[in-house]
Amino acid sequence: MFYRPENGHGLPHNPFNAIIAPRPIGWISTRGGDGDNLAPYSFFNAVAYTPPQVMFASTTAKDDRPNMKDALAHIVESGVFCVNIASAVLIDQMNASSATLPAGTSEFEACGIEAAECSTIDCPRVAAAPAALECRMTQVQRLAGPANWLVLGVVTGVHLRDDCIRDGRFDLSRDGWLARMGYRDYVAVHETFELERPE
């Protein structure tokens, strides 16, 4: 099978997200003049070690936010955001926070998710998250297509839950690393293996 995206794929469901999977989930929290926001983004990843940097992409817009979502509007306003890492045990809270709520409505409050304050930026974070990356935005870039945006940030602070540090390593094997597959599918990773690079 071969298809050109502009001509459509002819399948019942778009295969693109299923091809590029699993994708880690950036559970992005922000604060703006209208309050706090929390939403998951599956176009997310780390992009550099020194200094540590991350990216996420926001696609589609809301009816009450022209050309963007609440998180992006807050980041443009404040210049900061927090990436919360959702484990498999937090999947219900993460999923609940993906609901489309009116601008100015806090997903922390609406979904009963406990918030904590960040240390290096004025932003909330998910208190129960195994890890949280406090970020200062470095770039917001418009991407091809309507309401597609790329957000880049440098990490200014890292929170790690003590019970997720084992033998000097960050380890989510007990709770399970959570990732997005295609369609409505997710995966919880509880087993890993090591692989040495060739010399």
Side-chain angles (χ1 to χ4, degrees):
M1 174 181 176
F2 171 79
Y3 73 93
R4 296 181 185 275
E6 64 269 23
N7 296 332
H9 44 73
L11 298 172
H13 305 283
N14 191 339
F16 182 72
N17 289 359
I19 296 167
I20 303 174
R23 298 185 312 280
I25 298 166
W27 203 6
I28 308 297
S29 54
T30 58
R31 174 169 289 151
D34 61 357
D36 295 341
N37 185 261
L38 177 65
Y41 291 83
S42 63
F43 290 126
F44 159 74
N45 221 313
V47 294
Y49 280 124
T50 309
Q53 294 167 72
V54 297
M55 62 74 61
F56 78 94
S58 178
T59 62
T60 71
K62 293 178 67 209
D63 290 340
D64 57 4
R65 291 270 194 204
N67 300 316
M68 64 181 62
K69 291 183 177 178
D70 296 331
L72 180 59
H74 285 176
I75 293 168
V76 170
E77 176 187 344
S78 69
V80 300
F81 61 97
C82 184
V83 178
N84 303 276
I85 302 302
S87 63
V89 298
L90 294 174
I91 191 167
D92 291 334
Q93 294 94 322
M94 182 279 300
N95 189 50
S97 71
S98 70
T100 302
L101 302 176
T105 303
S106 168
E107 286 78 7
F108 285 98
E109 294 179 9
C111 303
I113 299 169
E114 183 183 354
E117 286 298 311
C118 289
S119 299
T120 66
I121 59 174
D122 181 16
C123 187
R125 61 185 176 88
V126 176
L133 310 175
E134 301 182 4
C135 301
R136 190 160 302 282
M137 179 267 289
T138 56
Q139 294 180 55
V140 173
Q141 295 183 4
R142 189 74 184 259
L143 301 175
N148 291 329
W149 300 87
L150 174 69
V151 178
L152 293 161
V154 63
V155 178
T156 60
V158 178
H159 297 266
L160 300 176
R161 240 179 41 211
D162 291 342
D163 64 316
C164 296
I165 301 173
R166 295 192 187 100
D167 299 324
R169 293 183 174 193
F170 178 72
D171 185 350
L172 269 185
S173 57
R174 184 193 63 197
D175 290 1
W177 286 271
L178 183 63
R180 183 76 187 269
M181 304 297 285
Y183 319 112
R184 295 178 181 171
D185 301 330
Y186 290 81
V187 63
V189 177
H190 293 277
E191 296 182 15
T192 63
F193 61 90
E194 289 190 2
L195 188 64
E196 294 287 342
R197 289 184 179 183
E199 294 295 331

